[in-house]
Amino acid sequence: FACLAWSHSETQLLYVAEKSRPKPQPPCPWDVPGAAWPAAEDEDEEGKQFVYHEDWGEALSTRSVPVLCILDLQNLSLSVLEGVPEHLSPGQALWSPDDRGVVFVGWWHKPFRLGLNACSNRRSGIFYLDLASGCCELLSAEKGSVCSPRLSPDGQRLLYLEGAVGGPHRQCLRLCMVSWASRAPGTAVPPSQHSAPLAAFAGLYTEALPLRCWAADSQRAVLGTPQRSRTQLWSPTRVLSPGSSDGCWELLTLQWDLLVATCSAPHHPPSLVVAVLPPAGHELPLGWVPVEDTPTVPGVTWKTLTIQPPCSRQGLNAQDTQAFEALLLSPSDGTPPHPLVVCPHGECGDSGDTLAVLVAAQVMPMLAPGGPHAVFDARWRPSMAALCQLGFAVLLVNYRGSLGFGQASISSLLSRVGEQDVADTQLAVEQALHREPLDPHHLALLAGSHGAFIALHLLTREPERYQACALRSPVSNLPALLGTSDIPDWRYTSLGLPYSFERVPCAEEVATMLLRSPISQAAQVQTPVLLCVGARDRRVSPTQALELYRVLRARGVPARLLWYPEGGHALAGVETEADVFKNCAHWFLQHLGQ
């Protein structure tokens, strides 16, 4: 929801705040019969102290009713804007070109709120609120999911991202543009509906546009987006990041045609670079200049593996044989074959990255979605480099359904969760062991959220293959999440079932969910399992891990549960992340005999 925008006159500041509620009366301090605090000014608030108030879920538990506010520095006044429809929660606001109104994103919150963090499929719209008349006008599609409105420097065009409502929690997006004069929306870049060949543009998957993404000519914009297993800087006409060894480019800002970005790779912490954006039609090659360069980390090498599913039956569609990718990080020191840590992703951006926040210069989103639609791009991940320096090779698997490979790849996983993603991870491990100098007798699993769901399936299918497993915020019991997760819609969508707000599962659907759940086959697990959970996780209840822990202990399987009282789904924070990594690394060293 956050925004902080100066008016063009620089006399007013627009921001978003949480609407305050009346505070409950404190208990009477006097032990005198009949003594009490004075009566509440608003009698309607009596008896409402314990009324439940919805919030927006994981990482947004303190956000319920956002309001738009204006601080007027000339009149020294503060006001809450009226005119926002009651069924909307406003945010991401900016001033109109003439300062006579504001543009904002409004999220529908009726009949109830679903988790919003890392979910680009919630119904929302771009609205214009006229400050004089109080009239509120919808500028985007009637039923879409939008974010990141960005006004061009000349005030003539409004750019934003738009996706479909419902379906996958992350998806391929459209880049849309509104002509301010006519208020007519249009699509600047449509989504990529098909699987993307290696050299083709695979679509837009960024979670937000940079705050400053427009060129000075108001004709071009620049943004970063995953393209297969790399994140590239892109303009609607061409790729702007060079084809170097760096696998992740992120735009920080674009001002006066000066591009400021970071670039990193699995063996190279982020470097700060700048370039001048030439006139239209002359963008390549850009002359990137390092401002703050960082050396590569010794002892780490990496490569991208292309994994090709076998053609094993007749009547296959294109998605059944679509190639996917995995990133292999290997120690450059030591004697091969190396023990291998396998990481199927689950959380977006920081999957398996428990040390990212410890690096002061790191520019990395700490997101916490639950679900498979994410991607391991070839960025710097401190924890993965640390595992390499401990002597482990690391395999980061972008199974079919990952971002960056086309919308068709994302959709191919729906109804196949627990099957296609598990088989793809299994195939990636087999092909990596066949191609690379890796030790097939020393394998471990490291994953979080949906990645942990995949890892548990692997443990039940091949009980003797893996010698150790460390999981964060694991999904193990799908039907149990229906009443505990902030995204209950995903439990239906992932299995190809329709969802509506009034949905109540029937017995057959609950049975289907349970059959796809690793907990139903937990008796097959023999591998020592470390579980790390946050007590405040709103996306995947920590009781999922607790149930699994009890089953494993009852069957004599070595298991350890780490319970972080203040942790959420991402287990973020310096102390928490350091402790999680330390325990995971020690677990692998202990059980792999290193």
Side-chain angles (χ1 to χ4, degrees):
F1 298 102
C3 62
L4 189 66
W6 286 103
S7 62
H8 295 86
S9 63
E10 298 187 0
T11 60
Q12 294 179 307
L13 195 61
L14 173 67
Y15 66 97
V16 68
E18 178 66 22
K19 185 178 181 179
S20 60
R21 300 191 189 98
K23 295 182 179 180
Q25 294 285 354
C28 178
W30 306 301
D31 188 15
V32 178
W37 286 95
E41 294 182 7
D42 188 353
E43 296 295 335
D44 291 338
E45 293 301 321
E46 290 186 9
K48 295 185 178 181
Q49 179 178 351
F50 300 105
V51 171
Y52 171 68
H53 296 280
E54 291 179 357
D55 57 53
W56 285 98
E58 175 62 30
L60 295 170
S61 60
T62 59
R63 309 291 184 269
S64 179
V65 186
V67 292
L68 299 178
C69 305
I70 293 180
L71 173 64
D72 191 316
L73 298 179
Q74 283 188 327
N75 300 326
L76 298 180
S77 62
L78 182 63
S79 58
V80 177
L81 295 187
E82 304 289 342
V84 176
E86 291 186 358
H87 64 278
L88 297 178
S89 290
Q92 299 184 14
L94 64 153
W95 293 91
S96 65
D98 53 12
D99 286 349
R100 296 181 180 178
V102 298
V103 175
F104 66 90
V105 176
W107 284 269
W108 272 254
H109 54 231
K110 298 292 181 71
F112 57 83
R113 294 162 174 80
L114 291 170
L116 188 59
N117 187 39
C119 293
S120 62
N121 61 345
R122 304 300 184 218
R123 188 183 178 188
S124 50
I126 303 292
F127 292 87
Y128 171 65
L129 177 63
D130 186 277
L131 296 180
S133 66
C135 179
C136 193
E137 174 187 1
L138 177 64
L139 302 182
S140 58
E142 176 67 27
K143 291 187 177 181
S145 178
V146 304
C147 68
S148 301
R150 304 289 186 255
L151 192 65
S152 62
D154 63 5
Q156 298 301 308
R157 297 172 179 84
L158 184 70
L159 203 63
Y160 61 93
L161 294 170
E162 182 180 73
V165 176
H169 59 88
R170 295 287 303 278
Q171 55 191 303
C172 190
L173 303 177
R174 294 180 290 273
L175 186 62
C176 298
M177 186 167 60
V178 170
S179 171
W180 190 257
S182 63
R183 306 286 205 279
T187 301
V189 179
S192 175
Q193 295 293 343
H194 304 288
S195 301
L198 286 174
F201 176 66
L204 296 175
Y205 306 91
T206 182
E207 196 166 24
L209 295 175
L211 287 175
R212 293 179 178 268
C213 62
W214 281 99
D217 60 12
S218 296
Q219 303 295 317
R220 297 169 293 163
V222 178
L223 57 109
T225 182
Q227 296 291 288
R228 304 184 74 83
S229 297
R230 293 173 178 254
T231 293
Q232 298 177 333
L233 294 187
W234 183 84
S235 178
T237 57
R238 61 195 71 201
V239 174
L240 300 181
S241 48
S244 66
S245 59
D246 290 311
C248 179
W249 286 72
E250 294 181 308
L251 179 66
L252 301 182
T253 190
L254 170 56
Q255 298 189 59
W256 306 292
D257 283 346
L258 181 67
L259 293 158
V260 183
T262 62
C263 58
S264 72
H267 68 315
H268 184 197
S271 294
L272 189 66
V273 294
V274 297
V276 175
L277 185 66
H282 301 278
E283 286 88 351
L284 295 180
L286 290 183
W288 290 98
V289 177
V291 175
E292 186 179 64
D293 199 7
T294 54
T296 58
V297 174
V300 181
T301 62
W302 71 281
K303 64 172 63 174
T304 302
L305 304 181
T306 300
I307 312 298
Q308 182 65 58
C311 299
S312 57
R313 67 181 189 271
Q314 299 294 324
L316 296 176
N317 59 47
Q319 293 312 307
D320 291 324
T321 58
Q322 181 200 356
F324 58 97
E325 293 181 348
L327 299 174
L328 179 64
L329 285 66
S330 303
S332 57
D333 303 326
T335 304
H338 302 293
L340 178 65
V341 177
V342 179
C343 304
H345 68 68
E347 303 173 5
C348 183
D350 66 324
S351 302
D353 191 3
T354 54
L355 280 184
V357 79
L358 298 181
V359 181
Q362 185 76 1
V363 181
M364 180 181 293
M366 295 300 294
L367 308 176
H373 304 303
V375 65
F376 273 128
D377 59 1
R379 72 172 66 227
W380 165 251
R381 289 180 168 83
S383 59
M384 300 303 155
L387 286 175
C388 283
Q389 294 195 330
L390 288 174
F392 298 97
V394 181
L395 187 68
L396 308 177
V397 184
N398 287 322
Y399 47 85
R400 286 172 294 169
S402 302
L403 301 181
F405 294 79
Q407 181 63 30
S409 174
I410 294 173
S411 301
S412 73
L413 190 54
L414 303 184
S415 79
R416 298 181 179 181
V417 163
E419 297 174 349
Q420 176 177 290
D421 45 359
V422 178
D424 283 358
T425 304
Q426 197 169 13
L427 180 62
V429 174
E430 292 171 356
Q431 294 198 12
L433 292 174
H434 178 72
R435 299 182 203 173
E436 305 294 332
L438 303 170
D439 188 347
H441 304 295
H442 289 82
L443 302 179
L445 286 161
L446 173 64
S449 194
H450 185 84
F453 171 85
I454 296 173
L456 287 170
H457 271 296
L458 292 172
L459 294 184
T460 65
R461 295 184 185 189
E462 298 184 288
E464 298 180 358
R465 182 158 208 181
Y466 296 92
Q467 286 69 55
C469 178
L471 305 177
R472 295 167 294 106
S473 311
V475 174
S476 62
N477 189 332
L478 297 182
L481 287 172
L482 288 173
T484 60
S485 175
D486 65 334
I487 53 171
D489 55 314
W490 175 240
R491 302 279 67 85
Y492 296 95
T493 303
S494 64
L495 298 180
L497 301 172
Y499 174 77
S500 61
F501 282 97
E502 62 272 14
R503 191 81 150 81
V504 176
C506 64
E508 292 80 5
E509 292 168 342
V510 172
T512 298
M513 293 180 188
L514 187 57
L515 287 174
R516 294 284 185 93
S517 301
I519 195 69
S520 66
Q521 300 294 324
Q524 307 301 318
V525 177
Q526 301 176 20
T527 304
V529 178
L530 172 67
L531 300 165
C532 309
V533 296
R536 297 181 180 272
D537 190 342
R538 299 285 302 282
R539 187 133 299 179
V540 177
S541 171
T543 57
Q544 294 264 309
L546 182 60
E547 179 187 26
L548 178 63
Y549 172 75
R550 288 169 173 169
V551 171
L552 296 177
R553 289 293 298 268
R555 300 190 64 82
V557 177
R560 188 182 187 197
L561 175 62
L562 301 180
W563 188 279
Y564 297 92
E566 301 302 318
H569 190 59
L571 293 175
V574 173
E575 183 178 353
T576 298
E577 295 192 18
D579 190 78
V580 169
F581 176 80
K582 177 178 65 176
N583 277 279
C584 290
H586 184 268
W587 192 258
F588 293 155
L589 293 170
Q590 175 186 350
H591 291 285
L592 283 156
Q594 292 299 104

